[in-house]
Amino acid sequence: MPSPIVDEFLLGGDFVSGEEIARKAGISRTAIFKRVRAMRKAGYVIEASKGRGYRLVPRFDGLLPLEIRMRSRSRQFGASIVVMDSGDSTQNHLRSLALSGAPEGTVVVALEQTSGKGRMGRSWSSPRGGLWFSLLLRPSLQLRDLPKLTLLFGVAVAEAVEELGVDVCLKWPNDLLVGGKKVCGILMETSAELDRVEYVLVGVGINANFLTTSLPEDVRSKSTTLSEALGKKIDRCGLIARILELSEELYREAQEDGFENVLNAWRSRSCTTGRNVTVMSFGNVLKGTAVGIDEDGSLLLETESGRVRVYSGDVIL
Ligand code: BTN
């Protein structure tokens, strides 16, 4: 019988003897052998050494669940990871997991999406090579805090991408731009009743290892990818692991102490503030100067008819 407990032993990345696994998990050596064989078939690289046992070796850019988990120090975010080779949208898959009671921190990754969803009802092109994933949250926050939660994920992704050596800035509410072109978009979908948030699906789409020529013509000139920016492929496994770590840290802190750090971190990366912008919000077109991000996460816009607050919309710089 396949035993997930074997997987847990291999998570540490060190050699673990078959004898130790057998003893601690209370399963036979044959069961372990069969599980290791199944894992190898699934794509894992597992070294076996006489006298030392088994060791899971993470591959560069490997996106299997244990490869991600062994790279991340997060506790709850990514404790359960589902990886789909191809799927319509990780948001849809995660929603059905959420409805069947999946815990906070559950992650769904797709190597490609056939109906990726963008903000404002748009589609999101998701070819192979990108990093497309959704994370389930069950926050104890009020509905009015959700715009700030959106900013939190922009900050976490920006920090992780900066660590790769890429200069990014944030366009309100949470587009990541490199050299003025979009490299990442974040979609938050919420299920709430009155003021109680039931769950939030945070969908992160990062143009990672592909050329913009794989994108539809209408978005191509406005987009870039991390591999184009760096001139080499990035390790998506390390990137998602780091995003999970950073966002979990910020999320815990925000729930305990508020969003001040998130707002400041967002503001320091803003490429919206100070610019003359056009904002499309629910069919309205607003023109003005973006003067900042308010404490509630809204965009403050100085227009001809005075200062307005924008809670949702698309900003054109
Ligand atoms: C945007 O419009 O900027 C948001 C794009 C969000 C795309 C991601 S990819 C993973 C997740 N699944 C989806 O279908 N959409 C989000």
Side-chain angles (χ1 to χ4, degrees), residues 16-36:
V16 194
S17 75
E19 198 184 335
E20 186 185 335
I21 302 175
R23 185 167 36 80
K24 289 194 176 152
I27 51 175
S28 70
R29 298 289 289 271
T30 316
I32 297 169
F33 180 74
K34 280 190 184 158
R35 179 65 194 146
V36 167

Side-chain angles (χ1 to χ4, degrees), residues 28 32 36 44 49 57 67 79 81 90-91 105 109 111 124 129 142 153 176 181 194 209 219 225 228 243 247 298:
S28 70
I32 297 169
V36 167
Y44 286 109
S49 154
V57 185
E67 290 176 310
I81 301 179
T90 53
Q91 295 288 100
V109 181
L111 302 189
W124 179 262
Q142 295 190 317
F153 280 89
L176 258 77
K181 295 185 173 191
L194 296 173
N209 293 334
V219 289
T225 69
E228 281 179 345
I243 293 170
S247 54
S298 61

Side-chain angles (χ1 to χ4, degrees), residues 89-91 113 116-119 124 132-134 175 182 185-187 203-205:
S89 158
T90 53
Q91 295 288 100
Q113 296 184 116
K117 296 199 272 184
R119 290 177 61 240
W124 179 262
W132 322 122
F133 72 95
S134 299
D175 284 355
K182 183 155 167 170
I186 299 172
L187 168 71
V204 179

Side-chain angles (χ1 to χ4, degrees), residues 99-112:
L99 292 173
S100 52
E104 174 160 83
T106 302
V107 170
V108 175
V109 181
L111 302 189
E112 90 178 328

